[in-house]
Amino acid sequence: MTTEPSPALDPASPPAHPRLSLALGMFVAVVAFGLLVFGLSFRAGLDQASARGASDLALASDRLTTGLQRYRELAVFLSDHPTVWARALSPDQSADVARATTNVLQNLADKTGAHSLMLVARDGTVLAAAGEQTLPKGAQAAFNRAMSGALGVAHFVDTDQQRRYVFAAPVFDPGGPARAAVIVNVNIGLLEWGWPTEPSAIYFTDDYGVVFVSNRSELVLRGGLAGPMPVTARRQISGHDLWMHEAGPYIPSPALHITRPLPVIGLEAELLMDLKPVIALSSLQAGMAAALALVFATFWFFARERRRTLAEANTRLEARVATRTQALEIANRDLTREVTERLEAEARLKRVQADLVQAGKLSALGEMSAGISHELNQPLMAIRSFAENAQAFLERDNAAKAAENLGRISELARRMGRIIKNLRAFARQESETITNVELTAVVEAALEMTMGKVARAGVTLDWTPGEPVWVRGGEVRLQQVVMNLLSNAVDAMSDSSETDKRIEIRIFAGQDGGIPTRLTVADTGPGIAEPDKIFDPFYTTKEVGASEGMGLGLSISYGLIQSFGGRIRGANRAKDGQSPKGAISGAIFTIELIPARIDRTQETSE
């Protein structure tokens, strides 16, 4: 009787630790590969972010330089003004000359927004002034340089903690030295107030390292004697300067630090760009690469283990063939069965994987098709209606009307193409060129597409076209937003018990300088159950099967309006028209857009 060798003592049995070591090595290799992809992606992202940041910093620098340059030119202009020149050369003239000089300074101060304008004699006497009546102490250096015949420039903080920038232009005696100086005092805070909102922190430091100008109020006057920037760590990667700091919740950290010298105004421009999006994108790419590498490594590991298992089984069978012929046949059958089962299991695994991949493709295709059909349903219905009308006109030998309908069908097809293009651009976070768009025409076009649905639902339309109102945006994308709001309003009132089903559309023209143009779409439906979630993706109040909506329309509309620099909001209307605590009498959506500057010549040509 033969005895089986113990597995623990069988020399053909491989030890367990090489497999563990191999698996651990594979895991380390996958992690190293992921870190390599992260590093490459992060460096590429840094290059792109650096290019964008340099462009933003250049724009901000040009904005500040241009804003200060006009005050420099104002100082030079006033130094040659006849009234100012006469007052500077003859300070003992009549009170009328002094009053005329003061009026000139006051008039230009009002028009340019300068903090103060003054004419100062060589001995420091203020001959005429608009605003401050005495020469500030911080402007003395600029005044002294002007008295030497050059243009003086200085910046300082006054006693009220207001930041000032001063230009001093000399007023020359004909053929002689400077007799007086025109001092132009600028409030830097007023320049900052008119700047657009920047996602990055931009600031300008002087020779002492003090932040004198910034789009972040918490950075103003930091540095220098007030202490350096609270940078906790600095690192150089591929020539880029990375900062970690604790400057405040609104200052990005980690951030890409970019500098730009501005010798014209005696400052240095600096920018801190948020690197969290770059890190997030690099992490996502590294994770995907590591996951893919892990899948391939896992398949390779199991294939290798399978081959080694078969080789070990064959080795054991060959070692026992001489003494166990009969046992060999049984073992051979068992091995064959095991191989067959493994092959079947592998085939089933491949089929399951293929089914999962196909299911993922079908799911993505279904979401994309549902979103596109939601946006193109109304144009398709209009095309169908125009096609049926064209057929009827052809049967009546009315070719002109049929051609008109075919022309409308062609126009709708072009609009559908533009809508698909906009949907694709929106999905990729892209935007077309923003132009001047006539808002009344956009509403008219949207109503033309949805009037059939409005009429079938028994809804009364309260809309009266007025004067053209021009805004900044995209014509097709604005039509898409208005059509979505109209369609949602009709759907909201489809099951309403109210006898007065009405949609009100109003346009309130804005003005340049901060007052936006508003477009409101209100209905008399049941209102919005959760206004805070109305713009979330895939949020919908429609019943399953009752509509084609997927909760994407308002989310897409929100992104489109934001791409124009505007905003959209939804709220409930109270029955009393005033108090939000009254009974709900429908919903109202408000779109705010930037007014466009249109001169009369362009408006007539339009």
Side-chain angles (χ1 to χ4, degrees):
M1 180 178 179
T2 60
T3 59
E4 292 286 344
S6 173
L9 302 176
D10 189 354
S13 298
H17 65 272
R19 298 181 181 178
L20 181 60
S21 300
L22 179 60
L24 182 60
M26 289 171 50
F27 177 77
V28 172
V30 168
V31 172
F33 179 71
L35 293 176
L36 176 62
V37 172
F38 176 83
L40 295 176
S41 177
F42 184 69
R43 283 172 170 79
L46 279 180
D47 294 337
Q48 298 176 1
S50 178
R52 292 195 304 270
S55 177
D56 294 342
L57 187 58
L59 289 176
S61 301
D62 292 342
R63 186 165 55 239
L64 177 62
T65 303
T66 303
L68 292 176
Q69 189 72 12
R70 63 174 182 172
Y71 293 106
R72 176 182 180 275
E73 295 172 354
L74 174 62
V76 175
F77 167 76
L78 285 175
S79 66
D80 292 332
H81 193 281
T83 303
V84 175
W85 186 76
R87 176 63 176 166
L89 296 184
S90 300
D92 297 331
Q93 289 180 357
S94 65
D96 293 337
V97 176
R99 186 164 47 254
T101 305
T102 301
N103 292 337
V104 169
L105 297 181
Q106 186 64 54
N107 186 29
L108 289 177
D110 295 338
K111 291 181 178 179
T112 60
H115 180 72
S116 65
L117 298 175
M118 60 180 64
L119 177 64
V120 183
R122 174 177 288 274
D123 59 359
T125 303
V126 177
L127 303 178
E132 294 179 321
Q133 301 298 318
T134 59
L135 182 66
K137 182 177 180 181
Q140 188 64 44
F143 174 74
N144 294 338
R145 181 170 175 79
M147 289 297 95
S148 66
L151 179 67
V153 180
H155 64 275
F156 60 94
V157 180
D158 61 14
T159 56
D160 296 330
Q161 294 300 309
Q162 298 293 322
R163 290 162 291 147
R164 309 292 186 199
Y165 203 97
V166 173
F167 292 99
V171 180
F172 290 101
D173 191 353
R179 295 288 299 276
V182 175
I183 308 297
V184 178
N185 193 337
V186 184
N187 189 343
I188 293 298
L190 296 180
L191 288 179
E192 294 175 339
W193 184 261
W195 285 1
T197 303
E198 298 282 354
S200 302
I202 301 176
Y203 55 95
F204 301 84
T205 58
D206 57 14
D207 296 337
Y208 300 99
V210 178
V211 177
F212 196 69
V213 186
S214 177
N215 64 349
R216 297 292 192 273
S217 59
E218 55 266 41
L219 293 180
V220 173
L221 299 182
R222 300 189 71 167
L225 297 178
M229 292 284 289
V231 180
T232 58
R234 293 186 181 181
R235 187 177 180 184
Q236 288 284 335
I237 298 179
S238 298
H240 301 294
D241 191 14
L242 275 61
W243 282 15
M244 295 286 293
H245 58 81
E246 297 177 354
Y250 300 106
I251 310 301
S253 178
L256 176 63
H257 179 236
I258 303 175
T259 60
R260 178 186 178 94
L262 301 176
V264 175
I265 59 176
L267 299 175
E268 183 174 16
E270 301 185 41
L271 176 142
L272 293 176
M273 174 175 283
D274 192 3
L275 289 180
K276 291 180 181 177
V278 177
I279 295 175
L281 180 59
S282 301
S283 300
L284 178 61
Q285 294 176 346
M288 294 177 63
L292 186 61
L294 182 61
V295 170
F296 281 111
T298 302
F299 277 117
W300 176 83
F301 179 80
F302 281 109
R304 179 180 180 279
E305 287 301 308
R306 177 179 175 276
R307 288 195 300 269
R308 189 174 65 175
T309 299
L310 293 176
E312 291 173 355
N314 289 331
T315 301
R316 288 194 298 268
L317 289 173
E318 291 176 358
R320 298 170 185 174
V321 67
T323 58
R324 300 182 58 192
T325 303
Q326 185 176 3
L328 178 60
E329 295 178 356
I330 299 174
N332 189 32
R333 288 195 299 269
D334 293 340
L335 179 61
T336 303
R337 184 173 62 252
E338 181 182 357
V339 171
T340 302
E341 291 176 353
R342 289 180 179 272
L343 290 175
E344 292 177 353
E346 184 177 2
R348 288 195 299 271
L349 177 61
K350 291 181 178 180
R351 286 195 300 272
V352 171
Q353 290 170 344
D355 292 341
L356 289 176
V357 172
Q358 185 64 21
K361 292 180 180 179
L362 292 177
S363 175
L365 181 59
E367 292 180 4
M368 182 179 65
S369 300
I372 295 176
S373 64
H374 180 78
E375 300 298 334
L376 301 181
N377 182 50
Q378 294 297 333
L380 287 175
M381 294 297 293
I383 288 175
R384 177 181 177 183
S385 177
F386 285 136
E388 292 174 353
N389 291 341
Q391 183 179 4
F393 285 128
L394 288 175
E395 292 174 355
R396 299 174 186 175
D397 293 332
N398 192 343
K401 285 291 186 179
E404 181 181 351
N405 282 4
L406 291 177
R408 292 183 178 179
I409 290 175
S410 177
E411 177 62 25
L412 288 174
R414 285 194 295 270
R415 289 184 182 179
M416 290 170 61
R418 292 197 297 269
I419 290 174
I420 292 174
K421 179 182 178 182
N422 288 330
L423 289 174
R424 183 170 62 250
F426 175 74
R428 292 198 304 261
Q429 294 298 323
E430 296 177 353
S431 60
E432 294 182 346
T433 302
I434 297 178
T435 59
N436 294 339
V437 178
E438 207 284 287
L439 188 57
T440 303
V442 169
V443 175
E444 286 291 327
L447 288 175
E448 179 183 356
M449 302 291 293
T450 57
M451 188 55 68
K453 182 174 182 178
V454 173
R456 287 193 300 271
V459 176
T460 301
L461 183 64
D462 185 358
W463 157 251
T464 302
E467 294 293 331
V469 178
W470 293 87
V471 296
R472 297 291 292 171
E475 180 180 2
V476 176
R477 289 173 284 173
L478 274 178
Q479 290 179 11
Q480 179 182 352
V481 174
V482 176
M483 286 172 57
N484 181 258
L485 294 181
L486 292 174
S487 179
N488 287 346
V490 173
D491 293 340
M493 294 184 291
S494 60
D495 297 331
S496 176
S497 60
E498 295 286 342
T499 58
D500 182 18
K501 297 181 179 180
R502 187 173 69 260
I503 295 178
E504 299 177 2
I505 304 176
R506 298 288 186 271
I507 294 179
F508 304 93
Q511 298 177 3
D512 293 338
I515 301 179
T517 295
R518 292 187 295 118
L519 169 64
T520 62
V521 178
D523 60 61
T524 58
I528 306 172
E530 297 178 287
D532 295 337
K533 297 182 179 180
I534 196 66
F535 295 106
D536 292 347
F538 301 105
Y539 173 80
T540 180
T541 59
K542 301 174 183 178
E543 297 181 359
V544 177
S547 175
E548 295 180 0
M550 294 181 60
L552 290 174
L554 288 178
S555 178
I556 293 176
S557 299
Y558 184 86
L560 291 178
I561 295 301
Q562 278 201 330
S563 69
F564 304 148
R567 65 173 184 169
I568 180 174
R569 61 181 184 272
N572 290 317
R573 295 197 305 169
K575 281 189 174 181
D576 56 11
Q578 299 294 333
S579 173
K581 298 181 179 179
I584 294 176
S585 179
I588 179 169
F589 285 85
T590 303
I591 300 175
E592 295 183 354
L593 298 169
I594 299 175
R597 295 183 178 179
I598 301 293
D599 55 28
R600 290 298 179 185
T601 303
Q602 180 179 357
E603 186 175 355
T604 303
S605 64
E606 294 288 348

